[in-house]
Amino acid sequence: MPFVVGLTGGIGSGKSTVASCFQEHGAVVVDADEIARTLTSRGSPVLSVLQQNFGEDILDSEGNLNRSLLAERAFDTEVNTAKLNEIMHPKIRERAEQLIAKVSADRIVVYDMPLLVETNSQDLCDFVVVVDTDVEKQIARLVDSRGLSESDAWNRINRQASRATRINVADLVIPNDGTRADLINRCGSAWTRIIEQAAQGHPRSLST
Ligand code: ADP
């Protein structure tokens, strides 16, 4: 098995920026959001389960998922968020495990997973990296770069684990409290640390 680094962080924390940086350093990125998009592509069986739970109209006339409408409904209440997670997460995990198993043992996989902690997926990982930023910066980035309203941004953040919960499972925290250039620099140092850890072997397989 390859060495698996779990990468997580709150929405708008800078996690995707870090994932791209690790990829440039040679990581094989397994992207949970991309898996979710594939699982919900037109005609896929999971779409009818989503429709039963979130309304017929979450598919447009061509059968494509209206992601923003689904997100609006799913993040509206805690019960709905839990429902979406129950439908999606076992499938995402299964697919991630399949993709990781295909990677050769001498590579480093970065499992880019926004809800790593919420779904206890850290047990798939040898090492966990958390990108950490304060909530005000998260909100500002979500409003600026994704066009979310401030209240939607708060809603999304409140449906995720707290910073403290995430940091609690981290082997390494990358603070994203400066410029993008600062973040890229920190990624470089984090990658050096990851290489050192990978050279020492797999804590996950040693403990099982
Ligand atoms: P995530 O994947 O955690 O949701 P992204 O990496 O997509 O977050 O970052 C969200 C937005 O904020 C992107 O447009 C990204 O370019 C920007 N961003 C990330 N870090 C910084 C930073 N330190 N300074 C300014 N903009 C940043």
Side-chain angles (χ1 to χ4, degrees):
M1 284 291 270
F3 189 81
V4 181
V5 177
L7 173 64
T8 194
I11 181 170
S13 63
K15 181 186 58 57
S16 307
T17 308
V18 172
S20 310
C21 176
F22 286 164
Q23 190 163 32
E24 280 169 25
H25 283 285
V28 176
V29 175
V30 172
D31 180 340
D33 282 344
E34 195 181 312
I35 294 175
R37 281 193 294 275
T38 308
L39 285 169
T40 53
S41 58
R42 190 162 63 165
S44 70
V46 78
L47 286 180
S48 48
V49 181
L50 290 173
Q51 265 188 315
Q52 283 155 25
N53 284 275
F54 295 102
E56 294 291 320
D57 58 336
I58 61 163
L59 295 195
D60 66 18
S61 55
E62 291 179 346
N64 292 308
L65 179 61
N66 180 339
R67 286 173 208 283
S68 56
L69 184 58
L70 173 64
E72 201 178 287
R73 293 191 181 153
F75 299 122
D76 189 37
T77 64
E78 249 173 69
V79 172
N80 282 349
T81 308
K83 212 190 274 179
L84 178 67
N85 289 345
E86 266 168 47
I87 296 167
M88 295 303 299
H89 286 302
K91 294 187 170 61
I92 292 174
R93 185 188 170 99
E94 188 186 6
R95 185 73 188 128
E97 286 187 278
Q98 288 166 355
L99 292 172
I100 290 168
K102 284 188 190 157
V103 177
S104 72
D106 59 346
R107 301 294 300 271
I108 295 176
V109 167
V110 168
Y111 181 34
D112 176 352
M113 174 41 156
L115 299 183
L116 189 88
V117 178
E118 293 84 343
T119 59
N120 274 318
S121 303
Q122 64 267 30
D123 64 353
L124 295 177
C125 307
D126 297 299
F127 192 77
V128 173
V129 175
V130 168
V131 185
D132 181 54
T133 194
D134 65 53
V135 174
E136 287 70 26
K137 285 203 178 71
Q138 274 177 277
I139 301 274
R141 286 182 197 140
L142 291 173
V143 170
D144 289 348
S145 69
R146 307 226 179 125
L148 289 186
S149 71
E150 222 176 288
S151 73
D152 275 346
W154 274 109
N155 234 350
R156 304 278 176 98
I157 288 169
N158 288 333
R159 294 274 173 266
Q160 297 191 331
S162 68
R163 287 172 77 188
T165 309
R166 240 182 252 117
I167 287 173
N168 204 29
V169 303
D171 295 298
L172 179 69
V173 176
I174 302 181
N176 184 14
D177 53 4
T179 63
R180 272 181 62 94
D182 294 332
L183 182 62
I184 302 297
N185 270 333
R186 287 174 186 163
C187 283
S189 317
W191 187 251
T192 305
R193 173 83 194 281
I194 289 167
I195 296 279
E196 285 165 9
Q197 288 291 324
Q200 287 171 27
H202 299 252
R204 176 177 46 134
S205 37
L206 288 177
S207 65
T208 51

